[in-house]
Amino acid sequence: MSRRTQILATAAELFAARGFHGVSVADLGAACGISGPALYKHFPSKDAMLAEMLVSISEELLAVGRARVEEAADPAAALAALVDWHASFALGQRALIVVQDRDWESLPATARERVRALQRAYVDLWADQLRLVHDGLEPDRARAMAHAAFGLLNSTPHSGLLPDDPMHALLADMALAALGVAPRTGPAT
């Protein structure tokens, strides 16, 4: 893991715990084992850290999502792969989910627009597969279904009461049921 990636991971944990405005550059530096001003060797500002963490994770969600769809045998398998990917992301990136939700308004305007564009493309990726699975499904309804599934999957920072593996299975089964797709692995454990 690069130093830059370590700094972003530490910043995400601190922002999730205390909010973007509750964390100073000195706090970030101390948590990373360097002085606050030394962070400026890696990022021009605290705002730039927030922007990079949320833009990069949005890019990753979309890129991996597209790859999962391309590798799938059919639209139902594509949805199962998308759900699996998003559940893994949600369980592995709890802090980023909290930061995205709580500190959205602190994101610089250009980064906010980039994240919105990436998120729209990600929603449309899901909606396209939903429309292939469900004949006659209207685009707006398919997008609403995708958003509802994200809400369920992204609830993990607040609802992760099980160890990660059984939580992943539960989330995946529930999301697939909500999307009208049969679970690929059988009942949740």
Side-chain angles (χ1 to χ4, degrees), residues 139-179:
D140 285 345
R141 187 167 177 87
R143 287 185 196 98
M145 289 171 70
H147 280 285
F150 299 157
L152 185 139
L153 294 165
N154 289 344
S155 71
T156 56
H158 315 290
S159 67
L161 303 177
L162 299 173
D164 282 356
D165 287 343
M167 190 69 191
H168 184 283
L170 178 64
L171 288 169
D173 287 349
M174 290 179 70
L176 288 170
L179 296 170

Side-chain angles (χ1 to χ4, degrees), residues 90-113:
L91 289 165
Q93 300 292 338
R94 288 175 171 100
L96 285 174
I97 291 170
V98 172
V99 171
Q100 163 88 25
D101 185 48
R102 186 180 50 217
D103 294 314
W104 175 255
E105 290 301 317
S106 299
L107 195 60
T110 54
R112 195 168 37 242
E113 287 307 312

Side-chain angles (χ1 to χ4, degrees), residues 11 32 41 53 66 70 76 79 108 126 147-148 150 161 179 181 183:
C32 294
K41 292 178 183 175
M53 78 176 55
R66 284 177 173 159
E70 288 176 17
L79 284 169
W126 285 62
H147 280 285
F150 299 157
L161 303 177
L179 296 170
V181 178

